[in-house]
């Protein structure tokens, strides 16, 4: 064998470990790129984590006054969502045409709300204006039936912390204004619906409030405008990764009334939603009945 051949063989042997290292690094980079691509695909499949059912307009006039005793209350909500909008408020084509079919039916017990802390202040007077206030700390737990395969369920696999502050003021004897301000924190859902394609989801934190201005037109009958507003203040997460630019927001306003006869209260409130982002939007009717002892 010639010296030239020996030299060439030696050079090839020297280059081989370097090529192996380069191929190894390229393989690793390719694997990382594939993982990033798979994660991006899964996150793109769910660009928003919806907030749970909330008190949006369910409470309204004469909200804060309360006395020692017992209360039995029933609230019925009817909502028609004509369209679903994205983060820019634009309608998502075809998103409103969802048919759950028979597999989307559900019945049973929903979430359980526990309030370990409730503070009701005595009526105070500020510049001769009577003011009632209440603070409450609510925890919502999911003891009811839940199925990851059912598109419609009455509960989920996480809990929420949901405190609120409530105030009612009477600027005059016949005028009232009530405000209930909520904060919402959601825990991680480790068993989201299979259709989400995710191992875990977590809805973002949010603030929302209900507001009214009522006028006492006759004895126990109050009428006036009522409104609510919801704004998500942190991004939701899928598989522990935040989804940017996915705020949920909506506002609503409409007419309402409450009639008080002895110890019975009857509420009827209607709302038209607007300014929605990343959620369904339409109109809502709330009927509420309360009996106090």
């Amino acid at each position: 064998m010639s010296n030239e051949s020996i030299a060439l063989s030696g050079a090839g042997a020297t280059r081989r470990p370097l090529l192996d290292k380069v191929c190894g690094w390229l393989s690793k980079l390719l694997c990382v790129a594939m993982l990033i691509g798979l994660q991006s695909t899964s996150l793109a499949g769910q660009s928003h984590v919806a907030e749970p059912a909330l008190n949006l307009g369910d409470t309204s006039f004469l909200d804060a006054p309360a006395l020692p005793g017992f209360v039995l209350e029933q609230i019925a909500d009817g909502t028609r969502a004509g369209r679903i909008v994205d983060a820019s408020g634009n309608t998502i084509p075809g998103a409103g045409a969802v048919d759950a079919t028979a597999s989307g039916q559900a019945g049973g017990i929903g979430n359980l709300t526990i309030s370990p802390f409730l503070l009701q202040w005595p009526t105070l007077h500020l510049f001769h204006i009577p003011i009632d206030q209440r603070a409450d700390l609510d925890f919502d737990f999911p003891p009811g039936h839940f199925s990851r395969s059912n598109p419609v369920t009455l509960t989920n696999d996480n809990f929420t912390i949901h405190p609120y502050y409530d105030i009612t003021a009477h600027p005059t004897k016949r005028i009232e204004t009530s405000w209930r301000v909520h904060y919402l924190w959601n825990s991680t859902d480790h068993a989201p619906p299979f259709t989400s394609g995710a191992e875990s989801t977590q809805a973002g934190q949010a603030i929302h409030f209900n507001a009214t201005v009522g006028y006492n037109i006759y004895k126990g009958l109050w009428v006036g405008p009522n409104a609510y507003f919801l704004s998500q203040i942190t991004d939701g997460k899928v598989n522990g990764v935040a989804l940017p630019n996915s705020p949920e927001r909506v506002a609503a306003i409409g007419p309402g009334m409450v009639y008080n006869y002895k110890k019975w209260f009857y509420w009827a409130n209607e709302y038209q939603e607007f300014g929605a982002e990343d959620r369904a939007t339409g109109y809502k009717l709330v009927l509420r009945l309360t009996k106090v002892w």
Side-chain angles (χ1 to χ4, degrees), residues 190-208:
H190 293 285
F194 289 123
T195 54
S196 69
E199 294 296 325
S200 68
T201 59
Q202 183 178 17
Q205 301 172 45
I207 56 173
H208 60 99

Side-chain angles (χ1 to χ4, degrees), residues 9-213:
S9 299
T14 303
R15 288 195 298 267
R16 188 178 302 277
L18 179 61
L19 291 174
D20 291 341
K21 290 182 180 180
V22 172
C23 290
W25 280 107
L26 289 176
S27 298
K28 291 178 180 180
L29 289 175
L30 180 60
C31 290
V32 171
M34 291 176 65
L35 290 174
I36 293 174
L38 289 173
Q39 184 183 48
S40 300
T41 301
S42 63
L43 294 180
Q46 184 171 356
S47 59
H48 175 68
V49 181
E51 298 290 354
L54 303 171
N55 176 358
L56 295 179
D58 292 346
T59 55
S60 58
F61 304 103
L62 306 175
D63 197 22
L67 295 172
F70 297 92
V71 175
L72 178 64
E73 182 174 76
Q74 178 64 47
I75 300 176
D77 287 352
T79 304
R80 176 177 174 80
R83 62 195 185 103
I84 300 177
V85 299
D86 58 20
S88 300
N90 300 317
T91 301
I92 300 175
V98 178
D99 183 5
T101 69
S103 64
Q105 298 178 359
I109 300 175
N111 284 359
L112 176 66
T113 300
I114 298 177
S115 300
F117 173 82
L118 190 153
L119 178 61
Q120 179 77 43
W121 284 275
T123 302
L124 62 86
H125 292 78
L126 181 64
F127 303 110
H128 304 290
I129 298 176
I131 297 176
D132 292 280
Q133 303 172 84
R134 180 169 64 255
D136 188 12
L137 177 60
D138 289 344
F139 293 84
D140 287 349
F141 295 93
H145 173 73
F146 171 73
S147 172
R148 297 186 67 184
S149 60
N150 196 334
V152 178
T153 61
L154 297 178
T155 182
N156 43 31
D157 193 51
N158 67 308
F159 70 92
T160 68
I161 302 175
H162 207 172
Y164 73 80
Y165 168 75
D166 195 4
I167 183 170
T168 296
H170 290 268
T172 70
K173 186 177 181 179
R174 289 186 173 272
I175 296 178
E176 73 86 44
T177 178
S178 295
W179 294 74
R180 184 185 288 211
V181 183
H182 298 252
Y183 164 76
L184 172 67
W185 179 87
N186 301 279
S187 70
T188 300
D189 185 348
H190 293 285
F194 289 123
T195 54
S196 69
E199 294 296 325
S200 68
T201 59
Q202 183 178 17
Q205 301 172 45
I207 56 173
H208 60 99
F209 66 81
N210 301 333
T212 68
V213 177

Side-chain angles (χ1 to χ4, degrees), residues 178-264:
S178 295
W179 294 74
R180 184 185 288 211
V181 183
H182 298 252
Y183 164 76
L184 172 67
W185 179 87
N186 301 279
S187 70
T188 300
D189 185 348
H190 293 285
F194 289 123
T195 54
S196 69
E199 294 296 325
S200 68
T201 59
Q202 183 178 17
Q205 301 172 45
I207 56 173
H208 60 99
F209 66 81
N210 301 333
T212 68
V213 177
Y215 181 75
N216 183 208
I217 62 174
Y218 176 75
K219 293 185 177 179
L221 180 61
W222 298 75
V223 299
N226 43 210
Y228 60 79
F229 175 76
L230 163 71
S231 179
Q232 183 178 322
I233 57 176
T234 65
D235 292 327
K237 296 180 180 180
V238 174
N239 299 334
V241 180
L243 298 173
N245 302 319
S246 62
E248 188 168 318
R249 183 174 299 173
V250 70
I253 192 170
M257 57 80 63
V258 58
Y259 177 63
N260 169 222
Y261 178 71
K262 295 183 178 179
K263 294 187 177 182
W264 289 89

